[in-house]
Amino acid sequence: MDKVLDNLQEIYTIAVNELQKDNKDTLETIRIVAAIESFKYNNKNLEEIMETFRLNKTNIETVKQQIIEEQEEGKKKLEENGEKIRNLRHELLSIELLHSMEMKLLTKWGMNRETQAQIVSEKQQKSLIQQLIDVKKKMTQEERLIGEIGNCYENQIVSLNEQVSQWEQKYRKEMQIILLEIQEIMNQITELQENHENYREICKEHIAFVEDYLKCKEEEERLNEEQCYRIRCAVRLQAWWRGVMVRRGLGPYRKKSKKGKRSKSKKK
């Protein structure tokens, strides 16, 4: 790495000197010089590179030792795998023999299945041909029925169209009658609304009359109650005064003297 870096620095210095000999300050020369200067390394960068190089050397040595150990382990594994491969080859031979026997049996079984399949297919073909014949017969019968049904439906459609036209005429006539009735009802409603307004005014007058009557009646009842109350009070006062006169012997309720009675008896 040190030699490579020294050689690169010498190359950069030679290139810069040759470019400066031409004394041409063109853009291309300036760009080339700037690019060369950008690739120059400082002493600090060189020291860092050397330290990384040393670390890489130590890492390489550790890796070499690991590779040697792995090679030894690989040799051992190869020997073990060789024995396994031999066993597997022996098993493969036995499997091939079994496979050849099975293939022979399978070929015979396949031939038998083919013959059975041919017999079954022939039977199915016969049944399918019979089914096709039956289906064709049914198709002809169904086509005939469809034609008859179509004719029936056409006749029904014609009759239904006639009925629809008749019902439309009836509907129009009935609608005209109904519209006339509705118009009459609307006129009646307007008359009723007018009468209702008149009745409202009359009702308001009657309500006012009734209110006045009720007020007068209440006033009369109040006066009647006052008169009755006065009469009851007068009756109570008269009764009290009569009781006082009777108890005290006043007025017509005075007690008569006994002398007068005696004189009257002597005269007799």
Side-chain angles (χ1 to χ4, degrees):
M1 288 292 289
D2 293 331
K3 290 179 181 179
V4 171
L5 292 169
D6 292 330
N7 291 321
L8 287 169
Q9 285 179 357
E10 288 177 358
I11 290 162
Y12 288 146
T13 53
I14 290 161
V16 171
N17 291 321
E18 287 180 356
L19 290 169
Q20 288 177 359
K21 284 178 182 179
D22 294 332
N23 292 320
K24 292 179 180 180
D25 295 329
T26 59
L27 291 169
E28 293 179 355
T29 56
I30 291 162
R31 287 177 182 175
I32 291 162
V33 171
I36 290 163
E37 288 177 355
S38 65
F39 281 107
K40 287 182 180 181
Y41 292 97
N42 293 324
N43 290 322
K44 291 180 181 180
N45 291 325
L46 290 169
E47 288 176 357
E48 290 176 356
I49 290 162
M50 289 300 292
E51 288 177 358
T52 55
F53 180 72
R54 288 170 185 171
L55 292 169
N56 289 323
K57 278 183 179 180
T58 55
N59 290 322
I60 288 161
E61 288 177 355
T62 55
V63 169
K64 284 180 180 179
Q65 290 177 359
Q66 289 177 359
I67 289 163
I68 290 161
E69 291 175 355
E70 287 177 356
Q71 285 178 355
E72 290 177 353
E73 289 178 356
K75 288 178 181 179
K76 292 178 181 179
K77 288 180 179 179
L78 285 170
E79 290 177 355
E80 291 176 356
N81 291 321
E83 292 178 355
K84 290 179 180 180
I85 288 162
R86 290 171 187 170
N87 294 320
L88 290 169
R89 284 178 181 175
H90 182 70
E91 289 177 357
L92 282 170
L93 291 170
S94 61
I95 289 163
E96 285 177 355
L97 293 169
L98 290 169
H99 183 68
S100 64
M101 294 293 288
E102 287 177 354
M103 287 297 291
K104 288 178 182 179
L105 293 169
L106 286 169
T107 52
K108 288 181 181 180
W109 183 72
M111 292 294 288
N112 293 322
R113 288 295 299 275
E114 285 179 358
T115 54
Q116 289 177 359
Q118 286 177 358
I119 293 162
V120 172
S121 63
E122 287 176 355
K123 289 180 180 178
Q124 288 178 355
Q125 285 177 359
K126 289 178 181 179
S127 65
L128 289 170
I129 290 162
Q130 188 65 36
Q131 288 176 3
L132 287 169
I133 292 162
D134 295 331
V135 168
K136 285 179 181 179
K137 288 179 181 179
K138 288 180 182 179
M139 287 290 287
T140 53
Q141 292 176 359
E142 287 177 356
E143 287 176 355
R144 187 180 66 191
L145 290 170
I146 288 163
E148 292 176 355
I149 291 163
N151 293 321
C152 292
Y153 281 130
E154 287 176 357
N155 294 321
Q156 288 178 0
I157 288 161
V158 171
S159 63
L160 289 169
N161 288 321
E162 291 176 355
Q163 290 178 4
V164 168
S165 62
Q166 291 176 1
W167 281 107
E168 285 178 352
Q169 291 176 0
K170 288 181 181 179
Y171 175 75
R172 289 172 184 172
K173 290 178 182 179
E174 288 178 357
M175 283 298 292
Q176 288 176 359
I177 294 162
I178 290 162
L179 289 170
L180 292 170
E181 291 177 354
I182 289 164
Q183 189 66 35
E184 290 177 356
I185 291 162
M186 291 297 289
N187 294 322
Q188 291 176 2
I189 288 164
T190 53
E191 290 177 358
L192 290 169
Q193 285 178 354
E194 291 175 357
N195 294 322
H196 184 67
E197 289 177 357
N198 294 322
Y199 286 130
R200 277 184 180 175
E201 291 177 357
I202 293 163
C203 187
K204 286 179 182 178
E205 291 176 358
H206 287 298
I207 289 164
F209 176 75
V210 170
E211 288 177 354
D212 294 331
Y213 174 75
L214 291 171
K215 287 179 181 178
C216 292
K217 191 173 181 180
E218 286 176 357
E219 186 67 23
E220 289 177 357
E221 288 178 355
R222 188 177 65 77
L223 293 170
N224 190 9
E225 287 178 357
E226 286 181 358
Q227 188 67 29
C228 292
Y229 180 72
R230 286 177 183 177
I231 290 164
R232 286 196 297 274
C233 291
V235 169
R236 287 178 182 177
L237 287 169
Q238 287 177 0
W240 175 75
W241 179 247
R242 285 175 185 173
V244 170
M245 289 175 74
V246 169
R247 286 191 294 275
R248 293 184 181 182
L250 297 172
Y253 301 102
R254 288 179 183 177
K255 292 180 179 180
K256 293 179 181 182
S257 63
K258 294 179 180 180
K259 293 177 177 181
K261 290 178 179 181
R262 288 176 182 177
S263 63
K264 285 180 181 179
S265 62
K266 286 178 179 180
K267 287 177 178 180
K268 290 177 179 180

